[in-house]
Amino acid sequence: MSDLIQAVLHSDEKTNLRQFASILRTQEKRYLLRNEILSLFADYCQNYEKSERFYHSSHLSKLIYYVQEIIIDNESLCLIIRPRIASQEAYRLLEDLTYEPMSIQELLDLRDRLVGRFHPQDGDVLEIDFQPFYDYSPAIRDPKNIGRGVAYLNRYLSSKLFQDPRQWQDALFNFLRLHRYSQYQLLINDRIQTQQRLSDRVKQAIGLVSALPPDQPYEQFRFELQELGFEPGWGNTAQRVQETLEILDQLIDSPDHQVLEAFVSRIPMIFRIALVSPHGWFGQEGVLGRPDTGGQVVYILDQVKGLEQQLQEDIELAGLDVLNVHPKVIVLTRLIPNNDGTTCNQRLEKIYGTEDAWILRVPFREFNPRMTQNWISRFEIWPYLETFAIDAERELRAEFQGKPDLIIGNYSDGNLVAFLLARRLEVTQCNIAHALEKSKYLFSNLYWQDLEDKYHFSLQFTADLIAMNAANFVISSTYQEIVGTPDSVGQYESYKSFTMPDLYHVVSGIDLFSPKFNVVPPGVNESVYFPYTRKKDRLLTEHDRLEDLLFTLDDPAQVYGTLDDPGKRPLFSMARLDRIKNLTGLAECFGKSKELQEQCNLILIAGKLRTEESTDHEEISEIEKLYQIIHQYNLHGKVRWLGVRLAKGDSGEVYRVIADRQGIFVQPALFEAFGLTILEAMISGLPTFATRFGGPLEIIQDKVNGFYINPTHPEEMAQIILEFLTKCDQNPHYWQEISHRSIDRVYSTYTWKIHTTRLLSLAKIYGFWNYTSKENRADMMRYIEALFYLLYRPRAKALLEEHWQR
Ligand code: UDP
Ligand code: LCN
């Protein structure tokens, strides 16, 4: 029962609850969201002249704080309360202030009723429930530890090794026997046939290598070890081999979680990685201008370089040079015949700055050529993914000359293909969401039928459920991506339970306490984005050209607006013109603040200037809105809007040029899953003001190395920037202080080195877990297959039929 409701009812605030409930009942809207509820409560306190204490710390105010939604159902109020992170309770509060708990089923029925989609006479709707499958697996207890799955898993697995040594040591032994590279056996050979023999031989081998000089290269004692049953993979010197064997010895005799992690991280298990990002327009140049190909492409290309480097280092340390082992990384995407001047029609493209990393493009099978020969939005590609996965499997096998050791999916489509491939190839599957669309669009599930023509969320959310449950492990960029904050729901959390009226009810869509979740944030490309103070690495010619482009160049084809006083402090932002990026909100905030206009120029890099250049409805309406705001607030002479797509090197220098002038960066998105531009701006040394909705809340520590802004309150946003500017006027070092701390924040926490080391270590531990718990997952995988074939596929076929008509 809810402590929060009880506390109100058992106090003299019962009358206040009654008053507030009757105000809610008079609302025209039947479905109230958190910010609406909070503002109604603020109005109530004001109108009834409640004290500040009551408003901030009464029982009722606490209850209201935790209420996420209220549905008004005749005379009763249904309160959806989130008393803690990752937990949800629903109650029906009747007119006489008695209350009763509501089950998930009742709540979902009620939501359906609210949108006129409840037909009990037709029978129940399909219920999707993953919880029973998770009951077999270990679960994290404390929500604080969500997102640190691997640490938990190591503890769990090592305690198993400890409690049931026989079975687990056999599992470990069999796991070690598995590893091969091409035709070569790694780690142990047929001379070791049992777990007991392994234990004996490890001790013998330690005796052998400990007598050698520590830096003696592996190839000089390779064959003696082979005699004992050990193949390459233990280390590149006598000392490294000895250390690895000693860790194994300890693991066999007295396992603990640190030893397990240390050992599994050392095993050379991964040489070939496939990263999947099908929706395409995936290239190294000229591709960032389309909606949906922003940060994901940047993220993957940088990640690939980091992975290749890390794999190479691991291979060398493991002593695998003797076998001429090389890592290979492939980004799998779609080939687009009508390539619009990009390389997207090439089958293979080498990734710059790598030895053996490639973009492999596989075409969609040809259906209606208007769809399959062209770039199509991520919302439309669902019918082509199954056949794409079949064709891609063949191509990947050919390129890798075998199968990959790890498959990483990206975004909903990539994760679905990763699921299909991983299942067929029996390879570890890792998911990266980047941004789950469900939380980006308000009521996207409740009103899915109205949005279906444009967005096809029924396919996307089904694909998400399939892929996130099938994945062996999931990487998120932030903690809140999984379970939100004390006052907002996480992206994965939004899949916990929801209704898709007339299609299905999700009773339990994902277990947030599963150890599969791990927070591993991305980094930033440090050779492109670096502090503005590193003058020796900057090119003067680039600087001058970009300074001209940003502040003075008169070229209507690329730039809209001239500056009356180009010397004012630049207030800079760069993003695609998606509604959610809210550059128009920033323009409005600037337009409303005369003081900001006096002190700053607004400089926007926003891809396009003309509606004719876009086919995307959101982008078109944002372009129109930006012009309208500039005219409405008469911002002429104060704004420059660059409709350009910068080459990568230029985008690095642009931040630095702004920093040279002690400018600031503003990221005003209505919601930002992570926000790579924030890392880029911060590492360049720009004081950064970023949305408090989403990832930036974790990247920035407010007022320490950046500032939070609330994009829905333009005046308050302007005020925060103005306060900073006033401090800069009062203290000439203030700008530099924040600038230094921004740079430090990125170097200490957001580097690709940290990311890739972690990712590879996770891949190995989950590979081991996948191997030892395969049987436990078999039933869930069958359930997932049923969803794919019986739910996803027919809907994808129906969309394909529609595409034929276009
Ligand atoms: N970007 C760019 N040119 C633009 C807009 C964006 O090069 O005109 C790059 C930007 O530098 C960043 C990425 O696109 O690396 C955007 O990533 P972010 O995570 O900020 O947002 P997303 O676009 O993925 O939602
Ligand atoms: C998608 C987004 O929306 C951004 O917030 C992320 O930074 C980007 O992907 C990379 O993960």
Side-chain angles (χ1 to χ4, degrees):
M1 277 298 187
S2 169
D3 297 343
L4 290 159
I5 302 183
Q6 295 239 30
V8 177
L9 294 179
H10 292 158
S11 72
D12 53 7
E13 291 172 25
K14 201 169 169 178
T15 327
N16 304 116
L17 177 59
R18 196 186 304 279
Q19 282 167 342
F20 188 53
S22 30
I23 294 175
L24 292 175
R25 272 189 221 103
T26 60
Q27 296 302 308
E28 204 179 311
K29 269 179 143 178
R30 303 278 89 188
Y31 201 142
L32 300 170
L33 295 177
R34 186 163 186 270
N35 50 359
E36 295 162 325
I37 302 164
L38 289 175
S39 93
L40 283 168
F41 183 65
D43 292 348
Y44 163 74
C45 291
Q46 201 177 8
N47 296 341
Y48 283 75
E49 295 177 356
K50 293 287 165 200
S51 66
E52 276 294 299
R53 195 207 64 81
F54 180 88
Y55 178 51
H56 289 293
S57 43
S58 59
H59 295 301
L60 184 56
S61 73
K62 278 191 198 125
L63 169 66
I64 298 300
Y65 179 81
Y66 289 107
V67 173
Q68 286 292 321
E69 296 165 27
I70 295 181
I71 301 173
I72 299 147
D73 185 28
N74 297 322
E75 290 312 304
S76 63
L77 303 180
C78 300
L79 311 181
I80 292 103
I81 305 178
R82 190 168 172 269
R84 282 172 303 282
I85 273 180
S87 108
Q88 181 189 288
E89 297 167 5
Y91 297 95
R92 181 182 287 278
L93 184 68
L94 305 171
E95 217 179 347
D96 61 2
L97 295 192
T98 54
Y99 71 106
E100 56 201 35
M102 289 176 78
S103 67
I104 290 289
Q105 279 84 351
E106 280 174 85
L107 180 62
L108 299 180
D109 282 347
L110 171 62
R111 288 188 168 140
D112 286 0
R113 198 145 25 96
L114 194 78
V115 293
R117 305 278 185 182
F118 182 63
H119 321 291
Q121 68 282 8
D122 298 339
D124 287 335
V125 71
L126 168 69
E127 269 186 7
I128 297 180
D129 186 358
F130 279 97
Q131 198 51 50
F133 303 111
Y134 283 97
D135 291 343
Y136 297 119
S137 59
I140 289 171
R141 263 178 241 115
D142 185 346
K144 276 206 299 298
N145 292 329
I146 290 176
R148 296 189 206 151
V150 78
Y152 184 84
L153 191 61
N154 279 326
R155 281 208 180 83
Y156 171 83
L157 291 174
S158 51
S159 75
K160 287 271 180 194
L161 273 167
F162 197 70
Q163 285 158 12
D164 194 351
R166 184 83 231 150
Q167 191 197 339
W168 278 80
Q169 286 178 14
D170 275 350
L172 182 63
F173 166 66
N174 287 324
F175 182 66
L176 289 179
R177 298 210 301 181
L178 283 182
H179 301 291
R180 301 179 65 82
Y181 177 80
S182 303
Q183 76 273 30
Y184 302 112
Q185 178 66 34
L186 305 179
L187 296 173
I188 52 178
N189 61 33
D190 288 349
R191 292 195 173 93
I192 300 178
Q193 285 289 351
T194 63
Q195 185 277 319
Q196 185 51 47
R197 165 133 315 189
L198 173 67
S199 172
D200 299 341
R201 287 287 164 91
V202 165
K203 291 189 197 318
Q204 265 179 281
I206 292 172
L208 188 152
V209 285
S210 60
L212 301 173
D215 56 356
Q216 181 150 341
Y218 168 69
E219 62 256 36
Q220 294 178 10
F221 55 91
R222 171 182 175 190
F223 296 109
E224 284 147 271
L225 275 185
Q226 196 172 43
E227 286 281 301
L228 286 176
F230 296 98
E231 293 294 330
W234 298 94
N236 57 343
T237 59
Q239 182 178 350
R240 179 88 188 171
V241 173
Q242 185 182 339
E243 277 167 20
T244 315
L245 289 168
E246 278 171 355
I247 299 174
L248 175 58
D249 191 39
Q250 211 183 332
L251 189 63
I252 295 171
D253 288 345
S254 50
D256 83 27
H257 61 100
Q258 280 153 338
V259 179
L260 180 72
E261 177 165 18
F263 180 69
V264 179
S265 306
R266 278 180 180 230
I267 305 183
M269 286 165 59
I270 297 172
F271 311 105
R272 306 175 182 105
I273 303 179
L275 298 101
V276 193
S277 176
H279 67 255
W281 223 242
F282 197 108
Q284 301 182 78
E285 265 155 42
V287 293
L288 281 175
R290 303 256 160 151
D292 17 321
T293 43
Q296 195 187 141
V297 174
V298 175
Y299 178 118
I300 296 171
L301 285 173
D302 290 342
Q303 188 190 39
V304 164
K305 289 174 201 142
L307 281 173
E308 190 193 50
Q309 241 167 30
Q310 195 56 47
L311 286 172
Q312 191 57 54
E313 279 174 32
D314 291 353
I315 287 169
E316 267 167 43
L317 267 182
L320 294 178
D321 284 0
V322 293
L323 300 178
N324 208 12
V325 172
H326 291 294
K328 187 171 180 104
V329 185
I330 291 180
V331 178
L332 172 69
T333 187
R334 65 171 288 225
L335 184 147
I336 307 177
N338 296 335
N339 60 327
D340 205 5
T342 67
T343 51
C344 294
N345 63 340
Q346 285 176 17
R347 179 178 174 275
L348 266 182
E349 180 179 331
K350 178 97 180 276
I351 296 181
Y352 305 148
T354 66
E355 292 282 313
D356 200 3
W358 303 84
I359 301 170
L360 170 67
R361 301 192 181 91
V362 175
F364 284 169
R365 287 191 194 165
E366 189 168 317
F367 294 95
N368 176 353
R370 277 218 294 281
M371 304 299 292
T372 47
Q373 303 298 98
N374 287 311
W375 174 83
I376 50 173
S377 133
R378 66 194 186 282
F379 296 122
E380 300 288 342
I381 62 167
W382 307 106
Y384 310 105
L385 295 180
E386 190 183 357
T387 46
F388 174 77
I390 295 169
D391 299 342
E393 182 190 338
R394 200 179 48 242
E395 304 253 353
L396 282 173
R397 279 187 190 272
E399 288 303 320
F400 282 125
Q401 305 207 340
K403 56 182 193 174
D405 307 303
L406 171 68
I407 297 179
I408 306 178
N410 289 274
Y411 188 71
S412 307
D413 56 347
N415 289 326
L416 187 77
V417 174
F419 149 70
L420 292 168
L421 285 169
R423 176 171 140 276
R424 287 172 65 98
L425 296 169
E426 297 191 347
V427 170
T428 307
Q429 178 196 342
C430 164
N431 278 20
I432 304 180
H434 295 284
L436 287 164
E437 223 73 52
K438 188 160 172 293
S439 12
K440 273 202 199 166
Y441 294 82
L442 199 61
F443 294 129
S444 50
N445 60 293
L446 198 58
Y447 293 104
W448 71 271
Q449 288 164 99
D450 304 333
L451 300 168
E452 194 66 357
D453 276 357
K454 251 193 223 159
Y455 294 107
H456 310 293
F457 285 141
S458 69
L459 281 151
Q460 184 157 10
F461 299 165
T462 309
D464 286 337
L465 285 171
I466 289 172
M468 66 178 72
N469 283 293
N472 297 102
F473 69 109
V474 172
I475 285 202
S476 74
S477 296
T478 60
Y479 173 79
Q480 60 181 286
E481 181 178 334
I482 312 170
V483 278
T485 63
D487 50 25
S488 67
V489 173
Q491 294 183 59
Y492 280 98
E493 189 181 1
S494 74
Y495 285 76
K496 179 79 191 140
S497 72
F498 63 97
T499 170
M500 294 288 280
D502 292 332
L503 185 61
Y504 53 68
H505 280 177
V506 176
V507 173
S508 177
I510 184 76
D511 183 355
L512 301 166
F513 290 83
S514 157
K516 68 163 61 173
F517 286 106
N518 285 281
V519 181
V520 186
V524 59
N525 187 328
E526 291 164 39
S527 56
V528 176
Y529 304 101
F530 53 82
Y532 74 104
T533 44
R534 258 174 47 193
K535 298 269 189 235
K536 63 176 180 5
D537 298 317
R538 298 174 59 184
L539 290 177
L540 199 62
T541 46
E542 272 179 20
H543 173 276
D544 294 349
R545 177 174 55 80
L546 291 169
E547 190 160 67
D548 183 37
L549 175 69
L550 285 167
F551 304 109
T552 40
L553 180 78
D554 183 13
D555 177 5
Q558 296 189 70
V559 191
Y560 179 77
T562 48
L563 299 177
D564 293 341
D565 177 2
K568 280 188 199 167
R569 194 191 290 271
L571 198 153
F572 173 56
S573 195
M574 173 165 82
R576 286 168 291 117
L577 274 168
D578 283 2
R579 187 191 66 83
I580 203 104
K581 293 288 181 194
N582 194 34
L583 285 185
T584 48
L586 174 59
E588 194 152 12
C589 153
F590 186 70
K592 284 187 167 158
S593 169
K594 286 272 175 257
E595 275 176 281
L596 264 188
Q597 293 169 35
E598 271 158 31
Q599 300 192 47
C600 302
N601 287 317
L602 178 63
I603 313 286
L604 299 175
I605 297 193
K608 296 201 176 90
L609 290 177
R610 278 165 280 274
T611 48
E612 313 84 80
E613 290 165 8
S614 177
T615 49
D616 184 79
H617 55 92
E618 270 188 26
E619 194 172 42
I620 292 171
S621 93
E622 286 296 287
I623 295 175
E624 286 165 351
K625 199 165 157 199
L626 195 48
Y627 282 119
Q628 182 253 315
I629 292 168
I630 293 174
H631 296 311
Q632 181 187 344
Y633 293 98
N634 193 14
L635 296 177
H636 305 286
K638 299 166 184 164
V639 174
R640 263 168 87 78
W641 167 6
L642 281 72
V644 292
R645 195 165 60 203
L646 293 176
K648 185 122 180 156
D650 284 356
S651 79
E653 186 59 19
V654 156
Y655 290 107
R656 294 188 287 269
V657 171
I658 301 283
D660 289 335
R661 297 180 169 221
Q662 299 220 329
I664 60 173
F665 183 74
V666 187
Q667 212 283 16
L670 298 173
F671 176 78
E672 186 62 63
F674 183 73
L676 292 174
T677 53
I678 292 158
L679 292 190
E680 294 163 0
M682 286 173 76
I683 200 173
S684 308
L686 279 173
T688 299
F689 295 73
T691 178
R692 55 165 63 252
F693 301 125
L697 202 62
E698 270 169 61
I699 304 175
I700 289 175
Q701 294 158 304
D702 195 25
K703 300 192 181 74
V704 177
N705 40 38
F707 302 86
Y708 300 150
I709 49 174
N710 182 339
T712 57
H713 294 156
E715 284 90 355
E716 182 197 292
M717 197 161 128
Q719 202 45 46
I720 290 173
I721 300 174
L722 284 166
E723 273 167 28
F724 170 80
L725 298 179
T726 310
K727 280 197 180 162
C728 290
D729 290 341
Q730 290 162 349
N731 170 2
H733 303 299
Y734 188 59
W735 187 94
Q736 261 101 359
E737 275 171 29
I738 300 289
S739 169
H740 281 149
R741 287 194 229 130
S742 319
I743 296 169
D744 288 349
R745 174 73 174 160
V746 180
Y747 280 124
S748 66
T749 320
Y750 298 100
T751 70
W752 282 112
K753 176 79 184 159
I754 303 175
H755 174 100
T756 44
T757 317
R758 190 93 197 112
L759 172 54
L760 289 177
S761 154
L762 294 179
K764 292 173 185 180
I765 304 274
Y766 286 91
F768 175 54
W769 188 34
N770 187 22
Y771 175 76
T772 51
S773 64
K774 219 178 258 159
E775 292 82 27
N776 291 351
R777 274 168 49 87
D779 44 5
M780 166 142 79
M781 294 310 284
R782 287 298 187 199
Y783 184 67
I784 289 175
E785 276 170 23
L787 292 181
F788 178 79
Y789 290 108
L790 302 177
L791 200 57
Y792 178 91
R793 197 200 244 172
R795 297 199 72 81
K797 285 224 156 88
L799 180 56
L800 186 65
E801 293 298 313
E802 263 181 51
H803 283 184
W804 276 112
Q805 316 307 322
R806 294 199 190 168

